[in-house]
Amino acid sequence: MLIKNFRNFLFSISLLLAFLTIAASCCFASPSADKLLKRKGFVWKSAATGHLRLHFEPGTLAENRIEELKRFQEIAYAKNLKLLKVSDYSFQTDIFIVASRERMKQLIGRETNGVAYPGTKVLCFIFSEKIDASGSHELMHVMAGNVWGLKFKRWINEGFATYADDIWYGCKLSDLNKYLLQEKRLIPLEKLIKDFSDHSDMISYPEAGRFVKYIYEQYGVEKVKELWKSGTIKDLKRVLGKDILTLEKDWHSKLLEADATKIKYDFSPKKK
């Protein structure tokens, strides 16, 4: 009887944990702008550009520099449109700007420097003296997802967003990837594509960004768009006409044209 009661207790605990997990997911997953505006513990001020709505907290650096942020995000918006090769983007997009990782966790349920929710056309990022996650990256996640579709492989989704900024922790993507190549730290393309999430962000993100840039510049936006819809190893060969090893060799040759002499890079994982 005692064993049976203990098993029932464990089963009840399991059900409770499952319920709490689901409840947390429902609370924070893909939130709408309206839900974030009403999030308990936050008071927002808002400002609009011609295409974006920015929401920020009073008394923060974002409030003090909101006009600069508006201009910068509009530049990022125009740059993303150009990369996507579309003349207009009709989806209302809301940007939520917080001052710390702690505030980000309170807003979305986890610590990160930036996050995008293409399905609800919302993005959030930190803007402070120590962390500046503004720019094209998160905005591109939202824009590309709504222009090209919400089903994609993670390597090309993160790669295209990283390419949109073309900078990773202050390093130009081309120069950084030459450095990674010289240091023998690049991930083999097959592993990058198949198991993107298994590798350090400090390598996988800039590598995917530079590889997507290579495809974009050598083969064109339509090929990138086609791979966005289905970006497996087989698709790469079908779309680009080369097997993965030949493609990797050609890409590495292109990387050697960059200048890595000034690169100083910390491989330790960064908090995202």
Side-chain angles (χ1 to χ4, degrees), residues 254-267:
K254 188 67 176 177
L255 291 182
L256 294 176
E257 298 176 7
D259 179 11
T261 57
K262 297 180 180 180
I263 294 293
K264 294 181 180 180
Y265 194 60
D266 181 4
F267 287 97

Side-chain angles (χ1 to χ4, degrees), residues 44-57 60-78 95-99 123-129 131-136 139:
W44 299 102
K45 297 184 71 174
S46 300
T49 70
H51 306 95
L52 309 165
R53 291 190 301 190
L54 287 72
H55 311 285
F56 50 93
E57 296 185 90
T60 61
L61 184 64
E63 182 184 32
N64 294 337
R65 295 168 60 179
I66 190 60
E67 292 304 318
E68 177 185 336
L69 278 168
K70 286 166 62 177
R71 287 192 299 271
F72 190 53
Q73 290 306 134
E74 272 293 309
I75 290 171
Y77 171 88
I95 302 175
F96 289 81
I97 308 168
V98 295
L123 61 125
C124 312
F125 62 70
I126 296 173
F127 184 73
S128 68
E129 295 291 355
I131 301 174
D132 179 4
S134 61
S136 298
L139 183 58

Side-chain angles (χ1 to χ4, degrees), residues 52-255:
L52 309 165
R53 291 190 301 190
L54 287 72
H55 311 285
F56 50 93
E57 296 185 90
T60 61
L61 184 64
E63 182 184 32
N64 294 337
R65 295 168 60 179
I66 190 60
E67 292 304 318
E68 177 185 336
L69 278 168
K70 286 166 62 177
R71 287 192 299 271
F72 190 53
Q73 290 306 134
E74 272 293 309
I75 290 171
Y77 171 88
K79 181 181 177 182
N80 286 355
L81 276 184
K82 186 175 180 180
L83 284 175
L84 289 164
K85 297 293 185 184
V86 292
S87 58
D88 190 31
Y89 178 81
S90 59
F91 304 98
Q92 176 63 59
T93 300
D94 287 87
I95 302 175
F96 289 81
I97 308 168
V98 295
S100 67
R101 292 173 64 84
E102 181 181 357
R103 288 302 277 167
M104 182 70 80
K105 185 175 182 180
Q106 293 166 355
L107 181 65
I108 67 167
R110 66 184 179 92
E111 285 195 13
T112 183
N113 289 354
V115 65
Y117 302 103
T120 54
K121 304 166 188 64
V122 165
L123 61 125
C124 312
F125 62 70
I126 296 173
F127 184 73
S128 68
E129 295 291 355
K130 292 183 178 181
I131 301 174
D132 179 4
S134 61
S136 298
H137 187 113
E138 302 302 343
L139 183 58
M140 180 58 92
H141 279 313
V142 173
M143 294 177 70
N146 282 280
V147 172
W148 286 354
L150 297 175
K151 292 185 178 180
F152 40 71
K153 294 292 184 181
R154 193 177 176 207
W155 74 268
I156 198 166
N157 180 39
E158 294 297 350
F160 196 47
T162 303
Y163 167 38
D165 274 326
D166 209 12
I167 295 284
W168 182 258
Y169 284 93
C171 302
K172 293 181 179 179
L173 286 185
S174 295
D175 296 345
L176 176 56
N177 273 266
K178 180 178 180 178
Y179 176 80
L180 294 175
L181 176 63
Q182 292 174 333
E183 294 294 311
K184 303 186 187 310
R185 299 296 294 269
L186 284 180
I187 304 162
L189 282 182
E190 185 169 359
K191 291 184 177 181
L192 181 76
I193 291 166
K194 287 184 176 180
D195 307 304
F196 182 87
S197 300
D198 292 345
H199 305 283
S200 167
D201 294 348
M202 297 304 293
I203 300 176
S204 60
Y205 274 64
E207 181 175 344
R210 184 60 184 91
F211 182 54
V212 171
K213 180 178 181 178
Y214 171 78
I215 297 172
Y216 191 102
E217 292 179 342
Q218 298 297 313
Y219 297 91
V221 65
E222 290 302 321
K223 297 298 185 182
V224 177
K225 184 177 179 180
E226 192 170 351
L227 289 170
W228 179 272
K229 298 174 182 177
S230 185
T232 66
I233 298 294
K234 289 183 178 180
D235 291 315
L236 277 170
K237 184 174 183 179
R238 174 180 57 81
V239 174
L240 304 181
K242 294 181 180 179
D243 64 77
I244 192 68
L245 293 179
T246 302
L247 191 62
E248 188 165 45
K249 182 179 178 180
D250 292 347
W251 177 52
H252 285 182
S253 295
K254 188 67 176 177
L255 291 182

